[in-house]
Amino acid sequence: MTEETIQRLQAIVEAALLAAGKPLSMDQLVALFTDNDRPTRQALEHALARLEEACEGRGFELRKVASGYRLQVREEYAPWVARLFEEKPQRYTRALLETLALIAYRQPITRGEIEEIRGVTVSSNIVRTLMEREWVRVVGHRDVPGRPAMYATTRQFLDYFNLRSLDQLPPLSEVRDLEDIGREIERNMQGEIQFDAAAGDAPDQAANEPGAGTTEPDPTLH
């Protein structure tokens, strides 16, 4: 493959990632091309590597997350870029962060098990918010009386917090309590401001009850 071809492929990938406003998987990048001009996966990986190098020293970077590749503002420039938007960053309650942390570290886990660990009732609004933000989902039902729903995190959770897999969560030994876990996730792992922020793509607070259908666990999240 010639240098000119590689440069053109790099430009196509860059344009697609800028326009998508969300991570694109390798399959999605391959699907951009017709049968007549479709590059190999190796060629696309080479173009992505070149694009990553081209971002060095610039205000944005190429980042691989659970759902694929995306272009995003570098974390060190987020305070300035954030001033472009009127909406203030979402602040989460201690109860929500503790609930999210328990789901992330103990999944799959039921609402009752979360309440047993925390010692207080889990608000329906918290579960609704986590479901609406698509950070957690029902992955099955515990085989006990009442068959309570079991919750686990999603690819959207990994993408939002800039993670490729759950293995990148902060070790439990590095945090003191459940709130610290949540704040650690929110502070250190939160996805940097993305180019699609200009389109106002921030999710709203939940307004409807989440569905409770049984689904199979996603093995790629473990």
Side-chain angles (χ1 to χ4, degrees):
M1 186 171 288
T2 65
E3 177 64 21
E4 182 179 356
T5 302
I6 286 291
Q7 289 180 352
R8 181 172 181 273
L9 186 57
Q10 176 184 330
I12 292 172
V13 170
E14 180 178 358
L17 292 176
L18 282 170
K22 63 180 182 180
L24 294 179
S25 67
M26 182 62 70
D27 288 340
Q28 288 173 310
L29 291 173
V30 170
L32 296 174
F33 302 88
T34 65
D35 292 338
N36 294 330
D37 67 350
R38 183 166 296 148
T40 64
R41 287 175 176 266
Q42 184 178 6
L44 275 174
E45 289 172 354
H46 183 49
L48 286 164
R50 290 279 294 269
L51 178 57
E52 183 176 13
E53 293 175 2
C55 292
E56 289 295 329
R58 306 187 68 176
F60 60 91
E61 64 181 341
L62 178 68
R63 178 66 71 91
K64 185 177 182 181
V65 293
S67 296
Y69 300 86
R70 69 181 177 200
L71 287 170
Q72 61 186 38
V73 172
R74 292 185 184 275
E75 185 176 7
E76 57 262 40
Y77 305 121
W80 291 274
V81 177
R83 297 188 184 109
L84 291 171
F85 310 106
E86 294 181 1
E87 182 177 357
K88 298 297 182 182
Q90 178 70 57
R91 295 294 299 173
Y92 301 108
T93 65
R94 172 174 180 165
L96 184 144
L97 290 172
E98 288 182 356
T99 300
L100 178 60
L102 280 171
I103 294 173
Y105 283 93
R106 300 288 184 88
Q107 60 186 298
I109 188 172
T110 67
R111 183 169 172 174
E113 290 166 341
I114 295 172
E115 292 175 343
E116 183 177 352
I117 295 171
R118 294 190 62 234
V120 294
T121 301
V122 175
S123 166
S124 296
N125 289 334
I126 288 177
V127 177
R128 186 183 303 122
T129 296
L130 294 175
M131 297 281 286
E132 285 290 327
R133 292 198 72 108
E134 298 185 340
W135 286 350
V136 305
R137 66 190 182 105
V138 176
V139 295
H141 292 80
R142 188 77 73 198
D143 190 18
V144 297
R147 293 181 55 78
M150 297 186 296
Y151 298 96
T153 54
T154 64
R155 285 187 180 275
Q156 288 85 349
F157 166 83
L158 295 175
D159 290 345
Y160 183 84
F161 292 107
N162 251 3
L163 305 172
R164 295 188 188 185
S165 71
L166 293 171
D167 293 337
Q168 292 184 307
L169 283 171
L172 282 171
S173 59
E174 293 183 3
V175 289
R176 293 187 301 275
D177 58 33
L178 293 176
E179 183 180 14
D180 283 345
I181 294 173
R183 295 299 178 195
E184 184 79 6
I185 293 173
E186 184 181 30
R187 180 172 59 251
N188 295 336
M189 297 296 187
Q190 184 171 357
E192 289 92 337
I193 296 171
Q194 302 171 36
F195 287 104
D196 63 349
D201 198 29
D204 296 327
Q205 286 289 341
N208 301 310
E209 288 291 344
T214 301
T215 57
E216 292 299 322
D218 187 346
T220 62
L221 298 184
H222 299 280

